Amino acid sequence: MMFLNESLTITNPGFEAPVTGTLDPAKIQVTNYKLKPGEWINYNIPGWESDTQRVGVFNPTKAQFAGQVIEGNNFAYNNEGTISQILPYRIIKGYTYVLLTDVMFRSNLSNFLGGKIQLWADSLLLGEQDIPLMVPGQKVTIMTPPYVAVADGGNIEIRLISNGIQMNFDNIEVLAEPSSVEETKIPWYLPVGIGAFILIMLLRR
């Protein structure tokens, strides 16, 4: 059973796992390598799938996100298409689910085209949230609207989407809560709005 405020287990949710593949900008092959600032690996994101090769893992320099604090050292970059992961959890009737992620737009990029995050269960879209208009160097935290499962269903899938300009994703979470909680407990999800956002941010500290 899942309990109040449970964060479902995601493989490599902060993209900190050692990487294997062609290291840039050095253009050398590495195995189980820990990225240093300014280095990135193309396509191979441990634990994640993609429908394009224009994705990877990046360890940014401080100048690329001046004044912003990121979780860990790395994030996933997505220049176009979808990064996805299917979780070993099926949706359960009566449970509420949301997807939560940090999104960043690099300081040295322009022409913001946006993207979105989505939560699926097999072919059923549980929720999606567009990435809001961002300025270079900005970081935001977004979440999908709460989805209450009306029936048991398929495996949960995360999708992180870019519309054609590099978007950077980090600190991925899927939260689940049974609807029949004790009245003395305040649920972590509230009507979508300012109150919900503030509460979710507090839970992530």
Side-chain angles (χ1 to χ4, degrees):
M1 292 295 289
M2 290 177 288
F3 299 97
L4 186 69
N5 296 349
E6 180 173 354
S7 181
L8 303 186
T9 299
I10 299 170
T11 300
N12 197 20
F15 308 100
E16 303 297 325
V19 296
T20 297
T22 302
L23 180 68
D24 281 311
K27 300 296 183 183
I28 60 174
Q29 293 297 307
V30 295
T31 301
N32 291 327
Y33 180 80
K34 185 176 180 179
L35 294 172
K36 298 179 178 66
E39 294 180 335
W40 67 95
I41 199 92
N42 289 312
Y43 185 54
N44 186 1
I45 307 176
W48 297 80
E49 302 292 333
S50 176
D51 61 1
T52 173
Q53 294 191 8
R54 299 191 64 206
V55 302
V57 182
F58 184 40
N59 185 331
T61 63
K62 291 182 179 180
Q64 289 166 324
F65 292 98
Q68 299 291 350
V69 177
I70 69 170
E71 182 273 335
N73 297 308
N74 302 339
F75 54 65
Y77 71 84
N78 185 352
N79 290 326
E80 67 176 3
T82 302
I83 298 170
S84 63
Q85 183 178 150
I86 298 175
L87 306 184
Y89 302 95
R90 302 177 71 87
I91 61 171
I92 300 174
K93 181 180 179 180
Y95 278 72
T96 300
Y97 300 88
V98 300
L99 168 63
L100 188 68
T101 179
D102 294 339
V103 183
M104 291 154 288
F105 190 44
R106 283 170 44 178
S107 300
N108 58 336
L109 295 179
S110 58
N111 190 31
F112 178 82
L113 298 177
K116 65 182 65 176
I117 61 172
Q118 295 179 333
L119 193 63
W120 291 77
D122 290 345
S123 61
L124 175 65
L125 177 61
L126 308 183
E128 68 177 4
Q129 180 62 53
D130 289 330
I131 298 171
L133 179 64
M134 299 176 69
V135 299
Q138 186 178 3
K139 169 189 168 183
V140 298
T141 299
I142 61 174
M143 69 176 186
T144 57
Y147 174 83
V148 180
V150 297
D152 293 344
N155 280 83
I156 296 169
E157 180 182 0
I158 301 164
R159 298 184 187 180
L160 312 173
I161 300 168
S162 167
N163 290 342
I165 189 72
Q166 186 177 120
M167 300 307 304
N168 305 292
F169 299 95
D170 198 11
N171 204 16
I172 315 301
E173 285 190 278
V174 174
L175 302 179
E177 180 191 64
S179 58
S180 56
V181 298
E182 298 175 15
E183 293 182 1
T184 56
K185 293 182 179 179
I186 300 175
W188 57 264
Y189 69 92
L190 298 172
V192 177
I194 295 176
F197 184 77
I198 292 173
L199 188 55
I200 288 293
M201 291 300 293
L202 289 174
L203 289 172
R204 287 169 66 85
R205 290 183 177 179

